[in-house]
Amino acid sequence: MGVIVDDELKWTDHIQHIFSKLLNYTSIFYKLRAKVPVRILLNVYYAFVHPHLFYAIEVYGNPRSLYIDKLAKLNNKLPRILQDKPFRSHVSDLYLEFNTLAVTLLHRQQLLISAHKIIHHPESVPEYCCSLITSIK
């Protein structure tokens, strides 16, 4: 795994790379869902989808990015496929079933975890990160 950095830090190449990988899984997931129990499909999701989304999401996952939207929509589609739910199923229920979050919420969660580490466990992060957050006293 790696992060693809473009010259304008828009993350378009990286997001497109992740999108292409996840798109390849959609047809496989359609075939798997009829043959494999949901608990195994959950493991498949966590093995093949989640790592690609999760890796460096605090960097590329800015929800204001125009490019993250298509990745988020594809990721919303995957739990529907794996859980064999209709197109109109509410995604929050699907994510809850798989005990994960949507792309924008994963981004927010990782930012909060990073901030927590910087504030409460500064020894566990690189020194330059500590200057990113100033304490309010």
Side-chain angles (χ1 to χ4, degrees), residues 68-87:
I68 201 76
D69 190 46
K70 77 176 191 173
L71 182 60
K73 286 179 182 175
L74 178 60
N75 190 50
N76 289 344
K77 185 177 182 179
L78 295 175
R80 280 191 184 103
I81 294 169
L82 291 172
Q83 295 176 40
D84 200 12
K85 301 288 183 178
F87 177 73

Side-chain angles (χ1 to χ4, degrees), residues 22-76:
L22 299 187
L23 194 59
N24 289 334
Y25 294 128
T26 55
S27 62
I28 296 168
F29 290 167
Y30 272 117
K31 294 172 188 171
L32 274 179
R33 73 179 181 187
K35 297 175 173 53
V36 179
V38 174
R39 64 180 173 76
I40 301 297
L41 294 173
L42 172 64
N43 290 338
V44 169
Y45 178 85
Y46 270 102
F48 292 102
V49 174
H50 203 261
H52 294 293
L53 289 172
F54 197 70
Y55 186 72
I57 195 164
E58 57 268 22
V59 176
Y60 79 82
N62 185 348
R64 284 179 261 155
S65 168
L66 299 174
Y67 308 103
I68 201 76
D69 190 46
K70 77 176 191 173
L71 182 60
K73 286 179 182 175
L74 178 60
N75 190 50
N76 289 344

Side-chain angles (χ1 to χ4, degrees), residues 2-14:
V3 178
I4 301 169
V5 181
D6 57 35
D7 56 352
E8 296 179 18
L9 291 177
K10 290 187 177 178
W11 307 104
T12 55
D13 296 337
H14 183 72

Side-chain angles (χ1 to χ4, degrees), residues 102-118:
V103 172
T104 55
L105 294 176
L106 276 175
H107 173 257
R108 187 178 302 164
Q109 178 189 42
Q110 282 309 108
L111 288 178
L112 291 171
I113 289 170
S114 297
H116 177 81
K117 284 181 183 177
I118 291 168

